[in-house]
């Protein structure tokens, strides 16, 4: 018997299985496709050979040969260290798994070049669809993927330069409400800690903060604004700078959970009673021992909504489906949660 390729150190192929079972490649293929016309004894011999050699069929290639998709959905996020994205991913996966799809997650680190490469790689791997949290306003690579026939849904940022479904959070309204709550408690010097200016959510939340100040007749003081922090350590340094000002803020509003955590550490280190509000609820927020106002929303539902939009677009590509409708936008509402008050 010829020595199977697997024993020579190469990748096990269907031909190796057929040789080990002493059948034709076509017969081995029929067994592994559960063809009932194959004799039971032959079926048992082929399956034993496949198990012995550790053979696993290439389901992606098989699906493509049969005219089906790969069964893969790409999810592109900016910061996997942020718990928001794990909840978003769970929401997406809970929906697409119901259609027999698997989610492939890629992290861009808020880097546009990394995002371009990741999207190009997903398209090359023939994913059935892409859900992306764009790192910047430049979305030409996502537009190109959509133009190539790959359904694209955006999360947390609207499309720019092309039509696509998107799922957003009420960033402006949530930030405005949280800042207004601080103002209602008597604070007039309110600092802001936010994401880099290129991040859509950070920009919208800064707008909401500024709008609440304007409604109360409080001038926006740029000296009390720090934008660009992506991790708690950076936010802690930025908050410490604000608290060291000659007239430090009596309250801080943070545009995401990473900034809120950093601000909390700075406030604790300073020993002040600075009030704190932030966007994004997070685990153990109730155990910090500090009065805390948080803008909350259902990040799992954000992922589920994105998954449903993508599943709809994928169904539109099937033969006989109705023509695709216009791009849709879903805005997830927010609410305020109080801890330690």
């Amino acid at each position: 018997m010829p020595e199977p390729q697997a024993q020579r150190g190469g990748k096990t192929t269907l031909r190796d299985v057929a040789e080990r079972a002493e059948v034709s490649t076509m017969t081995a293929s029929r067994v592994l496709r559960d063809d009932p016309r194959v004799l039971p004894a032959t079926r048992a011999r082929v399956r034993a050979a496949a198990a012995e050699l550790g053979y696993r069929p290439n389901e992606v290639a098989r699906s493509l040969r049969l005219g089906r998709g790969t069964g893969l959905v790409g999810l592109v996020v900016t910061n996997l260290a942020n718990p928001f994205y794990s909840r978003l991913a769970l929401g997406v996966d809970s929906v697409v798994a119901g259609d027999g799809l698997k989610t492939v997650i890629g992290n861009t680190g808020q880097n546009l070049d990394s995002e371009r490469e990741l999207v190009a790689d997903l398209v090359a791997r023939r994913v059935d669809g892409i859900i992306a949290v764009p790192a910047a306003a430049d979305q030409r690579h996502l537009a190109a993927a959509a133009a190539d026939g790959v359904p694209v849904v955006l999360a947390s940022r609207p499309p720019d330069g092309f039509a696509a479904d998107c799922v957003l959070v009420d960033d402006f309204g949530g930030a405005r409400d949280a800042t207004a709550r601080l103002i209602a408690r008597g604070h007039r010097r309110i600092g802001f800690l936010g994401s880099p200016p290129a991040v859509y959510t950070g920009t919208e939340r800064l707008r909401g903060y500024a709008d609440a100040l304007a409604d109360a007749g409080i001038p926006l003081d740029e000296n009390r604004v720090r934008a660009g922090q992506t991790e708690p350590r950076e936010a802690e340094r930025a908050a410490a700078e604000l608290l060291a000002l000659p007239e430090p803020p009596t309250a801080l509003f943070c545009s995401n959970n990473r900034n809120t955590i950093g601000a909390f550490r700075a406030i604790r280190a300073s020993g002040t009673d600075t009030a704190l509000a932030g966007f994004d609820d997070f685990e153990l927020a109730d155990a910090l021992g500090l009065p805390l106002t948080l803008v909350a929303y259902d990040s799992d539902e954000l992922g589920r909504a994105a998954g449903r939009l993508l599943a709809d677009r994928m169904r539109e590509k099937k033969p006989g489906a109705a023509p695709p409708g216009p791009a849709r936008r879903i805005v997830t509402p927010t609410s305020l949660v109080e801890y330690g008050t």
Side-chain angles (χ1 to χ4, degrees):
M1 180 187 303
E3 182 185 21
Q5 183 182 349
Q7 293 183 354
R8 297 193 299 269
K11 182 180 178 180
T12 304
T13 66
L14 182 63
R15 182 179 177 183
D16 298 329
V17 174
E19 289 178 354
R20 176 62 63 90
E22 297 182 330
V23 300
S24 69
T25 303
M26 180 63 72
T27 298
S29 176
R30 286 175 175 166
V31 169
L32 297 176
R33 285 188 285 113
D34 294 321
D35 191 326
R37 294 172 293 179
V38 181
L39 294 174
T42 303
R43 186 182 298 114
R45 199 161 69 247
V46 170
R47 292 199 177 282
E52 182 181 345
L53 295 176
Y55 173 74
R56 296 187 65 182
N58 188 333
E59 293 295 344
V60 170
R62 181 184 175 198
S63 293
L64 292 174
R65 284 196 302 270
L66 294 174
R68 299 198 297 262
T70 59
L72 301 176
V73 167
L75 174 60
V76 180
V77 301
T78 58
N79 184 3
L80 278 173
N82 190 331
F84 163 76
Y85 292 109
S86 62
R87 303 307 312 180
L88 176 76
L90 287 172
V92 170
D93 195 64
S94 69
V95 171
V96 301
D99 288 335
L101 303 169
K102 291 182 172 58
T103 308
V104 179
I105 303 175
N107 184 61
T108 67
Q110 202 70 53
N111 183 281
L112 181 57
D113 289 335
S114 296
E115 183 181 301
R116 288 194 189 103
E117 292 177 7
L118 181 55
V119 170
D121 185 59
L122 290 171
V123 173
R125 292 175 185 272
R126 307 281 295 274
V127 294
D128 293 344
I130 295 174
I131 296 173
V133 180
D138 186 350
Q139 300 172 9
R140 287 174 292 180
H141 50 296
L142 292 167
D148 284 342
V150 180
V152 173
V153 173
L154 303 190
S156 294
R157 186 173 196 142
D160 191 340
F162 74 112
D165 296 331
C166 65
V167 182
L168 308 175
V169 174
D170 184 10
D171 300 297
F172 175 85
R176 181 187 56 201
D177 291 346
T179 306
R181 180 69 59 88
L182 293 173
I183 294 171
R185 288 176 177 160
H187 297 283
R188 309 231 357 132
R189 299 198 308 270
I190 303 173
F192 177 88
L193 297 177
S195 307
V199 178
Y200 171 83
T201 54
T203 301
E204 285 297 290
R205 293 169 190 180
L206 177 58
R207 278 205 320 117
Y209 157 83
D211 190 73
L213 294 180
D215 279 352
I218 303 173
L220 175 63
D221 187 344
E222 296 290 348
N223 290 326
R224 298 193 183 115
V225 174
R226 297 290 185 277
Q229 304 79 232
T230 61
E231 293 299 332
R233 189 176 298 276
E234 298 169 343
E236 183 177 0
R237 288 195 294 267
E241 290 177 7
L242 292 178
L243 296 177
L245 290 172
E247 288 188 313
T250 61
L252 296 175
F253 172 70
C254 305
S255 75
N256 61 31
N257 52 16
R258 313 303 280 171
N259 276 278
T260 302
I261 292 170
F264 165 77
R265 292 172 179 168
I267 291 170
R268 278 292 190 217
S270 70
T272 65
D273 59 355
T274 308
L276 184 59
F279 215 108
D280 301 329
D281 200 356
F282 56 92
E283 193 171 1
L284 297 181
D286 59 336
L288 295 182
L290 179 78
L292 181 59
T293 301
L294 292 180
V295 181
Y297 56 93
D298 191 342
S299 50
D300 287 59
E301 176 55 26
L302 193 75
R304 289 192 293 269
R308 288 192 291 267
L309 288 174
L310 187 65
D312 288 347
R313 292 303 184 190
M314 289 166 55
R315 281 190 283 271
E316 289 175 351
K317 294 186 64 179
K318 293 182 179 180
R328 293 162 293 179
R329 175 181 294 209
I330 296 174
V331 179
T332 302
T334 62
S335 60
L336 294 182
V337 180
E338 303 283 356
Y339 294 111
T341 57

